[in-house]
Amino acid sequence: MKRYPPKTINVYLTLDQLVMQGYFNPHDPAPIYKRQLSHHFALYIMENVALFKRYDVIFYKFKYANEIDKQYAEPMMYAIRRHFTELKEDKIKNFKKYKRRNIMMLVAGTLIVTLFHILIPMVFTAGKGISSALSNSLDVFSWVILWHPIDELVFNWNPHLAKINLFNKLATAELIIIENEKKAAVDNSALRVVA
């Protein structure tokens, strides 16, 4: 299997106060760092990381226009990290429940199949044709009853771990603050005029 180098995924956000109001639930009166993220904002972040692979690196890049807006970067980042940490913990809890449920189904199915394999030969004698028909039916029933939990435990656990990894990366991603290019260009042109 060919392993590609990790790529960088950037999630661009602005720290403009008017735009930031759309990032949060409008009915949440808490301070910025404790607010719930709005559904649309969480979808925006998830769409940006839709092509995420296991070893990719995620960065949040905040753009600000003035120094007043720059102060909102840390509280905003704290709210984003708290949101994805809660999602990760919920996904871990669901994964544990998923494993426990499938292991219990596998154990219960194995006990039922074992019980029937013990009882059928005791009830029916080996000389009758019905005994072999029931034995063959029991083999088919064994595969049917055990197939789903085995399939879930062997093949379908990876999407759960991939989501947990994604939420962990989103909760621990680095913050990069970018100064507004227009403001920087104006400052540079003013310096050239003075010189």
Side-chain angles (χ1 to χ4, degrees):
M1 183 163 76
K2 195 172 190 180
R3 190 165 168 202
Y4 296 100
K7 67 180 183 204
T8 302
I9 298 175
N10 297 317
V11 179
Y12 291 98
L13 305 166
T14 184
L15 293 174
D16 185 9
Q17 291 180 14
L18 295 175
V19 176
M20 279 181 44
Q21 297 304 320
Y23 292 165
F24 300 106
N25 180 354
H27 304 292
D28 191 357
I32 289 177
Y33 63 93
K34 287 188 174 181
R35 283 190 190 171
Q36 294 177 343
L37 299 183
S38 73
H39 179 68
H40 296 293
F41 181 59
L43 279 178
Y44 167 74
I45 293 173
M46 294 305 290
E47 286 173 358
N48 277 309
V49 296
L51 300 176
F52 172 78
K53 302 289 183 216
R54 178 181 294 174
Y55 298 108
D56 291 348
V57 181
I58 298 174
F59 291 107
Y60 292 106
K61 293 193 174 181
F62 288 117
K63 185 177 179 182
Y64 69 96
N66 55 39
E67 292 298 319
I68 295 171
D69 291 342
K70 186 178 178 181
Q71 70 181 347
Y72 293 112
E74 287 299 322
M76 178 86 177
M77 197 63 213
Y78 186 77
I80 291 171
R81 285 188 173 138
R82 187 179 52 78
H83 174 79
F84 286 109
T85 300
E86 289 174 359
L87 286 177
K88 180 182 83 167
E89 290 169 357
D90 186 47
K91 198 66 176 170
I92 288 171
K93 186 174 70 171
N94 287 342
F95 181 60
K96 287 180 181 176
K97 189 188 319 183
Y98 164 84
K99 283 194 311 186
R100 184 174 44 245
R101 182 184 66 233
N102 283 305
I103 288 172
M104 292 303 291
M105 284 176 57
L106 184 62
V107 168
T110 304
L111 289 175
I112 290 170
V113 167
T114 305
L115 182 67
F116 278 127
H117 272 291
I118 291 171
L119 290 178
I120 295 257
M122 294 173 112
V123 174
F124 296 102
T125 60
K128 297 183 179 174
I130 195 146
S131 175
S132 67
L134 281 174
S135 178
N136 290 339
S137 300
L138 186 59
D139 290 339
V140 172
F141 175 70
S142 301
W143 274 107
V144 169
I145 198 170
L146 295 177
W147 176 253
H148 181 71
I150 291 171
D151 180 50
E152 289 291 320
L153 288 172
V154 173
F155 299 110
N156 296 333
W157 56 270
N158 196 34
H160 294 279
L161 293 181
K163 271 291 198 205
I164 291 170
N165 184 32
L166 173 62
F167 290 148
N168 184 46
K169 293 270 185 156
L170 286 169
T172 60
E174 285 188 46
L175 161 68
I176 298 173
I177 299 176
I178 304 171
E179 186 177 2
N180 191 353
E181 292 91 17
K182 290 180 184 175
K183 181 180 177 246
V186 169
D187 290 344
N188 288 339
S189 65
L191 288 175
R192 283 186 212 132
V193 171
V194 172

